[in-house]
Amino acid sequence: MELLSIIAPVLFIFLIGFIGQKLLSFDIKTISTAALYLLSPFLAFRTFYTNELDKTYLYIIVFAILLTIVLFIIVWVTASAMKATRSERSAMILSSVFMNSGNYGVPVVLFAFGNEAFNYGVIMMVFQSILMNSIGIFFASIGGEAQATWRDSMQRVIRMPLIYAAALGVIFQVTSVSLADSLMQGIDLIADASIPLVMLVLGMQLAVIAHKRVAYRHVTAATIIRMIVSPVVAVGILLFLPVNDLLKAVLIIQAAMPSAANTTMFALQFGTEPDLVSFTTLITTLLSLLTIPIVLFFVMN
């Protein structure tokens, strides 16, 4: 029952977004852009500004990179064994390697473990966003109908305000810059608004994902890698990292999250098997209603 109480608020907000999209047909891209470019940077700034810079940051970076590399290799080998096309391989990479650490993972760790875990989750979200908006876009572009170069992908990464907000937070924290209380209150209001908004966006995105004809064997493979292999790999990586139990729990939960919703937008933009990616996102999100409570049970006991 305790596990259900942790998941229930998250699912409730997803449901509101889902119903709202079905009834009112919002412009999801505009709302998502506002969350990414206006609200999330303040959340990243506050997290890095108010948390002392220590080895935790390094461990999270190492974890995020190692998890990405290992999952990438697993997906590449699996796709090759299945004789997937270049586009299908890229779609499987998008669906399997990148998890929904932001508008799903962060709220879950907040409700499960509190503010300290929330801060860990935001740090992981920032690094995961950097990887997804560089490596993810790269593979979406080379596997899609639209053509994009590595330089184009890097320019998009450079335009991400989240990175600069996090860097500014680190600089202000290290140099002991003190902000006025009134300014911090404004930052807090915007930062606090970012999490429920991105959760609503995920609910909206799920409402418009259509079930079309897809290669179900590729969906199945991507789903298994994302929902089962990923948290197992995370546990293996954490055996070699000297981190505290709370951070271990947060990183395992993040690794067990469903496919990142943003990968659907990447697939649509570049024509990289968008139906395969969107359907995998839907399936993994629905499966997470069963798998996340199981993961929570193991990390909390």
Side-chain angles (χ1 to χ4, degrees):
M1 197 66 185
E2 181 182 355
L3 297 178
L4 291 177
S5 67
I6 293 171
I7 297 292
V10 178
L11 299 181
F12 177 73
I13 300 178
F14 289 167
L15 180 62
I16 294 300
F18 184 93
I19 295 173
Q21 182 61 32
K22 288 292 187 182
L23 295 177
L24 302 174
S25 299
F26 292 103
D27 183 350
I28 301 176
K29 185 174 182 180
T30 299
I31 299 174
S32 179
T33 301
L36 179 63
Y37 287 91
L38 294 181
L39 277 67
S40 294
F42 286 92
L43 177 61
F45 172 82
R46 184 181 67 178
T47 300
F48 284 84
Y49 175 64
T50 58
N51 288 277
E52 184 178 353
L53 190 64
D54 57 20
K55 291 182 179 178
T56 300
Y57 290 84
L58 176 61
Y59 293 142
I60 294 177
I61 293 174
V62 170
F63 172 84
I65 293 174
L66 287 177
L67 182 63
T68 299
I69 292 173
V70 174
L71 290 178
F72 171 79
I73 293 172
I74 292 172
V75 175
W76 189 275
V77 172
T78 302
S80 298
M82 299 176 71
K83 301 186 185 309
T85 64
R86 184 180 68 173
S87 183
E88 289 169 340
R89 178 186 285 114
S90 293
M92 289 177 67
I93 290 172
L94 289 174
S95 299
S96 303
V97 175
F98 304 105
M99 76 287 293
N100 198 338
S101 58
N103 51 0
Y104 196 161
V106 168
V108 168
V109 298
L110 171 63
F111 289 121
F113 300 107
N115 287 328
E116 185 178 357
F118 173 77
N119 290 329
Y120 288 153
V122 172
I123 296 170
M124 176 64 177
M125 177 193 74
V126 172
F127 294 130
Q128 174 71 12
S129 295
I130 294 171
L131 293 172
M132 183 166 56
N133 285 276
S134 53
I135 299 173
I137 291 175
F138 175 74
F139 279 102
S141 63
I142 65 173
E145 299 168 356
Q147 296 297 317
T149 64
W150 175 252
R151 184 176 180 180
D152 294 332
S153 298
M154 290 308 299
Q155 286 178 344
R156 177 163 180 167
V157 176
I158 292 172
R159 291 196 296 268
M160 285 181 61
L162 198 72
I163 300 173
Y164 300 104
L168 188 64
V170 170
I171 293 171
F172 278 23
Q173 192 266 126
V174 171
T175 56
S176 301
V177 173
S178 180
L179 298 179
D181 289 342
S182 57
L183 179 58
M184 277 305 301
Q185 288 174 358
I187 292 173
D188 285 338
L189 286 172
I190 299 175
D192 290 339
S194 67
I195 292 300
L197 181 58
V198 295
M199 292 167 71
L200 287 171
V201 168
L202 177 57
M204 295 174 186
Q205 288 175 323
L206 293 176
V208 298
I209 291 177
H211 176 190
K212 298 182 180 179
R213 186 178 180 83
V214 297
Y216 290 107
R217 63 194 189 103
H218 294 129
V219 172
T220 301
T223 298
I224 291 172
I225 294 171
R226 172 90 305 276
M227 303 306 293
I228 299 175
V229 176
S230 179
V232 171
V233 170
V235 172
I237 294 172
L238 290 169
L239 291 176
F240 302 95
L241 293 179
V243 299
N244 61 58
D245 290 340
L246 179 59
L247 181 53
K248 283 183 180 179
V250 170
L251 295 179
I252 292 171
I253 291 171
Q254 294 277 41
M257 286 294 140
S259 302
N262 284 350
T263 58
T264 298
M265 290 188 288
F266 296 163
L268 286 168
Q269 180 177 349
F270 294 103
T272 312
E273 303 289 340
D275 293 336
L276 194 158
V277 176
S278 62
F279 190 54
T280 304
T281 300
L282 175 62
I283 293 299
T284 55
T285 302
L286 293 176
L287 280 177
S288 70
L289 304 183
L290 298 175
T291 60
I292 295 303
I294 294 173
V295 174
L296 283 169
F297 175 79
F298 282 107
V299 299
M300 295 176 73
N301 291 283

